[in-house]
Amino acid sequence: PDGHPLLSSLKHVQSMHRSFTSEWVDLCERAVGRRGLGASAFALHAARMASLAVLAWAALLAGAPHEYRDSRGLGFERIMGSPVLRSSQLVVDAVGDILRLGFLIKDSANRHHGAVRATLLGLASRVAAGFRLDGALGGIHGAMSDLLRAALEEEPLATQQFWNSDFSSKNGCYFLLEAWFATFPIGLDGLLQLVGGLAGDSEVDSEDGQSSTLVPGACTVQLLC
């Protein structure tokens, strides 16, 4: 964990941690507490976006050893008990907002924001690796699956990279698939939507010049094992 740029300075890590576990969580809790009781659209939108930042921070810490967190005062119990993870609705709504903006839609004018796509893929990967998503965090699992599918759908080269990297090494966004495998056949619709987006809709040229299909037969094999 010390090698991660965000964790390289203890002073700044502790400062960010205080902000995430106080002001940012407070923002989320206030918005949820006022839902239906006069919370403004701006306050709800701010809370949704904040929930993604809090989730990303919690996922980063979840990947660090207990000893690292405990020795540096980086416990994230308050985040775990906050609306960000307890109900997941803020995260689900935030992802819905992002998808509606069109950053991950191929024909959208906003599609050129490659940095946004890379950031969202990084979020999905970190969350998938940091938490077990086939249980109480099912809502977040579905939201991260939607992000991954939208980011890679109709992107053959990026999709091939997923199968050759994350899936083959069982790392990163692979865990989004694994969570669907763990509950199969429950959640079959979600699994099929994700695999459909990750299957690719065309053939791409591999490094040796040969055309290779992206249909993930390995996924079927894993379900049958």
Side-chain angles (χ1 to χ4, degrees):
D2 299 277
H4 194 285
L6 286 177
L7 301 180
S8 60
S9 168
L10 178 58
K11 177 182 176 180
H12 292 96
V13 167
Q14 291 175 330
S15 176
M16 287 191 296
H17 187 66
R18 284 192 296 270
S19 294
F20 282 125
T21 56
S22 55
E23 302 137 50
W24 292 66
V25 169
D26 287 345
L27 176 63
C28 296
E29 289 180 341
R30 285 196 300 270
V32 170
R34 294 174 183 172
R35 190 187 298 271
L37 298 175
S40 68
F42 174 81
L44 288 174
H45 176 73
R48 290 167 184 165
M49 296 303 106
S51 74
L52 292 182
V54 172
L55 175 63
W57 183 250
L60 180 63
L61 292 181
H66 288 288
E67 297 78 11
Y68 175 90
R69 299 196 303 265
D70 292 344
S71 64
R72 292 162 176 79
L74 301 177
F76 55 107
E77 292 77 10
R78 189 174 181 217
I79 296 177
M80 296 299 293
S82 75
V84 176
L85 290 174
R86 192 177 65 242
S87 69
S88 75
Q89 192 59 51
L90 281 175
V91 171
V92 172
D93 290 343
V95 170
D97 288 346
I98 289 171
L99 295 180
R100 282 189 291 273
L101 286 172
F103 292 119
L104 303 178
I105 298 174
K106 187 172 184 179
D107 297 329
S108 169
N110 289 329
R111 181 67 172 189
H112 66 278
H113 289 284
V116 175
R117 296 177 62 244
T119 299
L120 295 175
L121 278 175
L123 171 63
S125 176
R126 180 66 66 174
V127 171
F131 297 112
R132 178 171 178 173
L133 296 174
D134 58 323
L137 298 181
I140 290 178
H141 173 218
M144 295 299 106
S145 292
D146 288 342
L147 277 183
L148 177 62
R149 175 186 53 76
L152 298 185
E153 199 167 33
E154 299 184 15
E155 293 286 344
L157 291 175
T159 303
Q160 185 182 53
Q161 184 177 11
F162 166 82
W163 292 107
N164 291 341
S165 178
D166 286 24
F167 186 85
S168 63
S169 63
K170 295 186 176 181
N171 192 27
C173 286
Y174 161 80
F175 295 109
L176 293 173
L177 273 175
E178 184 180 68
W180 289 119
F181 297 154
T183 60
F184 183 82
I186 298 172
L188 179 60
D189 287 348
L191 173 61
L192 291 177
Q193 289 177 15
L194 180 56
V195 172
L198 296 178
D201 61 349
S202 62
E203 293 185 343
V204 298
D205 292 331
S206 59
E207 292 182 357
D208 59 5
Q210 298 296 316
S211 182
S212 59
T213 182
L214 300 180
V215 177
C219 191
T220 303
V221 172
Q222 182 150 349
L223 285 173
L224 296 175
C225 290

